[in-house]
Structure formats: structure tokens, C-alpha cells
């Protein structure tokens, strides 16, 4: 069984590696080809070129590499067609992956027509439930099957004409710190019984520049009610200097946790009484750790305006969406103001159990306690190949 995989981001590399591990446990005749990072290479993939070539996002970053990326798309599509795999698995990174799938399905590269009909499986459904619902219809022209991370996504994919399996979210397979490790973190940093807030102002420079000052002012307001307040802040790779500079004036200087200390980060998640976090999948990591949260996020005025037009849901927090509650307060766009955020943080400190039910429902619905997502995804891929050969 020959499997061609494409991942373009570190998160996709982790998904791909877990999928490859699952496939190897199901079949002993697997051959892997494609593009991936260190995690996928550790599972036996020889990458056609460095995955970092594809790890760019944003117009300003993509524009200078436009022609290089176009060449990589053509090279990758040609490699798929030449390899004639049993299945092509594209992992997230839709701007790159779906362009490759389109060329493969059209069976045309650089004017040459081929006769291949390779089943395409896309891992991670697009967020059509949030905005741009027509993306699913367009995607269905090139994709046969989708592996979804969220339980409410399959009906949206099948309505567009694709097969779809909910395989579980990778957060359910991530390790979580124990209470003992959380207590050790508190002792190490001499926190004692003081309230501990986990500050998560994002991982990108623009996010940090916009959110860190507001988070700092919010925490200063909280500290008026809790003078012994302590703050911990896990730092993403490559932005430590910026975070250090932008938090230097906070009234409660944060405990900065470097990116190369994941055990300390997990312990901080478990030890915190509440988290103040930017929007994103971090809400699921917090739910896994059982940490109550307040979500706050803003973007530049043009993006805010465009998203406001396109957004089709009344909450962007995944815990709220998966649990079908609105337990997690969120302050987005113009509402992302310290005077509005601080009372919500104080309310969570006063009633730390308020979100527990929603978090437990979320983790159960994401597959916690069941078969590992990578193995469920592998079974779905094997089924797609079997149906393709039967047809």
C-alpha cells in the first residue's frame, strides 16, 4: 500500500506522524512518500523537499515566495502522478494541498495529460461552519474524503458531496500534567496558594503586539482585587525577546516559560486558576487541563471588518461550539478592552467550577477515552483505499 502524504505546517506534521504510526500498525506493507517535517520523517518518510518551504502564511509573507510556491505545487503534483499511490493524503495547509489535489485530479501537469484517478483524502476539514461555507463545494471537486477533527463537521462535508469521518481531535492524545506536577510548579516558583493566571497572548508577533498591552492592563485591574496575583506565560518559539519586552511593565511580571520546556508549560496549564487566552485551539488545550478560561482577541481594523462580514457564528471559542454552550466568555474585536475583560477574569476566579461541565462535555465529544485519533484516521484511510479498489 503506497501512501503519498503532504503536510505544510508543524501541526500538520504531528497529525501526519500519528496517521503514519496508525497505518504502520494496521499494515506491514506500507510505503510512504511525500512532504513532511521531522515528526513524519521519524515515521519513515523521506521528504521531497523541506517542509519549511511551505510554512508561510499571510499576504506579506507569501508574496515574495509566490513563484517558488507555484513551482513546489507543480513539482509535488508531478511526484504524486509519477508515484501513482493508492491514496493521496493532504494534511491541512489548504492553499497548497488543494492546489496539488486539483492538478492531480485534472490529470494534467505542464500540458501533459495523464490517466490517473488517485483517491484524495484531506485531513482537517475547513472551517465552513464559521465562514466561507462555499469552500466545501469547491473542495469537493478535488477531494474524495475528509478526516474531520470536530464532531459537527461530517454533515457539512457530506452535504457538499464528500465522504467524511470524524476521527477525533489530537488534543485528546496529548499528555496532561498531574496535580502533583502542578503543585510542584507552584512550589518551584513560590506561588503558594496565591491566584495564578495563565496569560496566552498568541504565538505570532502581530498578535502579541496587539494583545500583550491589553492583557497587561487587564491583569493590573485584576490585581487590585487580588494583590498577591501571579502570572505565568508560556512563550512560543521565536518571540521570546518580544514577549519579554512587552511584559516588562506589567504590574505582576510573568513567569516566562520557554518554548523548549513543554513539561513546564503543561504544569502551568494545570496549576493555573484561570487563563486569559487569545482565540484558537488553545481553548481545547485548556479544557483538557481543566483550566477555566476567558478568551480575548483582536486584529487589524481591515481584517476585523472583513471577518465581521463573513462570520456566521456567534462564538469562535471551540469549547463553546463543541459543548453547545456559551460557558466561556469571549471579548472579540471592539469588545477586547481591559475594562470589559477584567470582570470576567474575576468572575472565573470567584467560581472556578463554572466551566467544568462544558469542558468535560467538550473532551468527551472530541474522543477522549476512545481510540487514538491517529489510529482512527488510519482506519478511515485504509477504508478509502479498499473502496477505491473495489470500484
Amino acid at each position: 500500500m503506497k501512501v503519498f502524504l503532504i503536510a505544510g505546517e508543524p501541526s500538520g506534521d504531528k497529525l501526519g506522524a500519528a496517521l503514519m504510526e496508525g497505518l504502520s500498525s494496521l499494515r506491514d506493507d506500507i510505503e510512504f512518500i511525500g512532504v513532511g517535517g521531522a515528526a513524519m520523517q521519524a515515521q519513515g518518510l523521506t521528504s521531497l523537499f523541506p517542509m519549511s518551504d511551505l510554512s508561510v502564511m499571510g499576504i506579506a509573507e507569501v508574496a515574495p515566495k509566490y513563484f517558488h510556491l507555484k513551482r513546489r505545487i507543480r513539482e509535488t503534483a508531478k511526484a504524486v502522478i509519477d508515484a501513482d499511490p493508492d491514496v493521496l493524503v493532504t494534511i491541512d495547509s489548504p492553499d497548497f494541498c488543494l492546489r496539488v489535489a486539483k492538478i492531480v485530479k485534472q490529470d494534467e501537469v505542464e500540458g501533459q495529460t495523464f490517466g490517473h484517478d488517485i483517491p484524495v483524502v484531506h485531513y482537517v476539514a475547513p472551517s465552513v461552519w464559521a465562514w466561507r461555507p462555499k469552500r466545501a463545494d469547491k473542495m469537493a471537486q478535488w477531494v474524495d474524503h475528509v478526516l474531520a477533527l470536530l464532531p459537527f463537521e461530517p454533515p457539512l462535508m457530506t452535504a457538499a458531496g464528500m465522504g467524511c469521518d470524524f476521527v477525533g481531535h489530537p488534543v485528546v492524545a496529548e499528555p496532561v500534567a498531574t496535580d502533583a506536577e502542578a503543585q510542584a510548579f507552584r512550589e518551584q516558583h513560590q506561588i503558594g496558594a496565591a491566584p495564578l493566571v495563565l496569560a496566552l497572548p498568541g504565538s505570532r508577533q502581530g498578535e502579541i503586539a496587539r494583545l500583550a498591552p491589553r492583557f497587561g492592563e487587564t491583569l493590573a485591574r485584576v490585581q487590585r482585587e487580588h494583590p498577591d496575583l501571579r502570572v505565568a506565560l508560556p512563550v512560543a518559539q521565536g518571540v521570546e525577546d518580544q514577549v519579554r519586552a512587552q511584559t516588562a511593565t506589567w504590574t505582576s511580571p510573568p513567569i516566562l516559560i520557554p518554548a523548549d520546556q513543554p513539561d513546564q508549560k503543561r504544569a502551568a496549564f494545570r496549576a493555573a486558576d484561570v487563563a486569559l487566552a487569545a482565540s484558537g485551539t488553545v481553548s481545547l488545550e485548556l479544557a483538557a487541563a481543566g483550566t477555566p478560561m476567558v478568551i480575548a482577541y483582536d486584529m487589524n481594523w481591515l481584517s476585523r471588518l472583513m471577518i465581521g462580514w463573513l462570520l456566521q457564528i456567534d462564538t469562535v471559542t471551540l469549547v463553546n461550539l463543541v459543548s453547545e454552550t456559551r460557558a466561556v466568555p469571549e471579548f472579540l474585536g471592539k469588545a477586547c478592552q481591559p475594562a470589559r475583560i477584567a470582570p470576567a477574569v474575576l468572575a472565573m476566579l470567584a467560581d472556578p467550577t463554572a466551566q467544568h461541565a462544558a469542558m468535560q462535555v467538550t473532551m468527551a465529544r472530541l474522543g477522549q477515552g476512545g481510540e487514538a485519533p491517529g489510529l482512527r484516521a488510519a482506519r478511515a484511510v485504509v477504508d478509502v483505499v479498499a473502496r477505491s479498489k473495489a470500484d
Side-chain angles (χ1 to χ4, degrees):
M1 181 174 167
K2 188 186 295 184
V3 182
F4 198 110
L5 306 106
I6 308 170
E9 294 283 342
S11 58
D13 186 40
K14 288 179 67 175
L15 287 172
L19 170 62
M20 291 169 68
E21 184 178 10
L23 286 168
S24 296
S25 73
L26 296 175
R27 299 279 297 256
D28 57 8
D29 59 344
I30 293 278
E31 178 185 355
F32 297 119
I33 320 164
V35 180
M40 291 170 67
Q41 290 172 40
Q43 291 295 328
L45 179 78
T46 300
S47 189
L48 297 175
F49 51 80
M51 188 186 74
S52 58
D53 282 11
L54 311 183
S55 297
V56 293
M57 57 193 308
I59 294 173
E61 292 81 7
V62 170
K65 297 188 175 184
Y66 174 75
F67 292 106
H68 176 70
L69 287 169
K70 282 197 70 173
R71 186 171 71 252
R72 287 301 197 201
I73 288 168
R74 292 193 300 270
E75 287 176 4
T76 306
K78 182 67 162 58
V80 175
I81 292 168
D82 287 347
D84 192 21
D86 294 289
V87 62
L88 166 62
V89 181
T90 56
I91 307 169
D92 211 358
S93 301
D95 289 338
F96 183 89
C97 287
L98 297 184
R99 283 175 169 82
V100 172
K102 178 180 178 179
I103 293 173
V104 170
K105 284 295 189 180
Q106 285 182 330
D107 294 331
E108 183 175 306
V109 180
E110 297 176 353
Q112 298 182 59
T113 301
F114 300 83
H116 299 267
D117 184 18
I118 300 164
V120 175
V121 175
H122 189 66
Y123 198 172
V124 184
S127 303
V128 296
W129 39 268
W131 64 305
R132 291 174 59 196
K134 292 183 179 178
R135 283 180 297 171
D137 296 330
K138 185 175 182 181
M139 178 176 157
Q141 299 175 73
W142 327 117
V143 172
D144 301 291
H145 203 86
V146 179
L147 306 180
L149 306 187
L150 301 173
F152 51 78
E153 291 176 323
L156 301 172
M157 299 297 104
T158 56
M162 295 171 283
C164 186
D165 284 300
F166 166 62
V167 297
H169 196 284
V171 72
V172 303
E174 293 291 326
V176 176
T178 64
D179 289 339
E181 289 168 328
Q183 184 60 35
F185 180 87
R186 281 182 167 268
E187 291 173 0
Q188 176 186 346
H189 296 285
Q190 299 179 321
I191 297 169
L196 176 62
V197 176
L198 190 67
L200 299 159
S203 59
R204 301 189 183 104
Q205 292 182 355
E207 291 174 331
I208 296 164
R210 277 189 295 273
L211 297 179
R214 298 184 217 188
F215 280 26
E217 186 180 337
T218 298
L219 295 171
R221 289 171 180 263
V222 173
Q223 196 168 17
R224 294 171 195 166
E225 301 290 330
H226 297 277
D228 56 344
L229 181 78
R230 299 293 301 278
V231 179
L233 196 162
V235 183
Q237 192 76 41
V239 294
E240 185 168 346
D241 289 344
Q242 181 189 7
V243 169
R244 195 176 299 279
Q246 296 208 245
T247 60
T249 58
W250 285 14
T251 56
S252 181
I255 301 161
L256 298 183
I257 303 168
D260 61 357
Q261 296 182 12
D263 291 346
Q264 283 284 292
K265 176 183 174 181
R266 285 192 288 269
F269 268 59
R270 186 71 172 173
D273 295 291
V274 64
L276 174 58
S279 171
T281 56
V282 70
S283 72
L284 300 182
E285 295 179 59
L286 292 165
T291 305
M293 69 199 82
V294 174
I295 301 298
Y297 196 77
D298 199 7
M299 54 196 74
N300 66 57
W301 69 271
L302 181 59
S303 296
R304 184 198 295 174
L305 189 64
M306 292 177 66
I307 293 296
W309 283 338
L310 296 169
L311 204 62
Q312 302 187 94
I313 48 179
D314 66 344
T315 178
V316 300
T317 302
L318 288 171
V319 171
N320 287 342
L321 289 164
V322 176
S323 67
E324 297 179 277
T325 69
R326 296 299 179 263
V328 177
E330 57 183 23
F331 301 88
L332 311 176
K334 292 181 180 179
C336 185
Q337 298 298 330
R340 299 183 66 173
I341 303 167
V345 176
L346 288 166
M348 286 297 108
L349 286 171
D351 184 8
T353 64
Q355 296 175 6
H356 281 184
M359 291 190 289
Q360 289 171 354
V361 168
T362 296
M363 298 311 296
R365 289 181 176 176
L366 292 179
Q368 190 176 60
E371 194 171 57
L375 183 54
R376 292 179 67 176
R379 293 190 194 284
V381 169
V382 170
D383 286 346
V384 168
V385 171
R387 289 196 299 271
S388 173
K389 292 187 179 300
D391 293 341

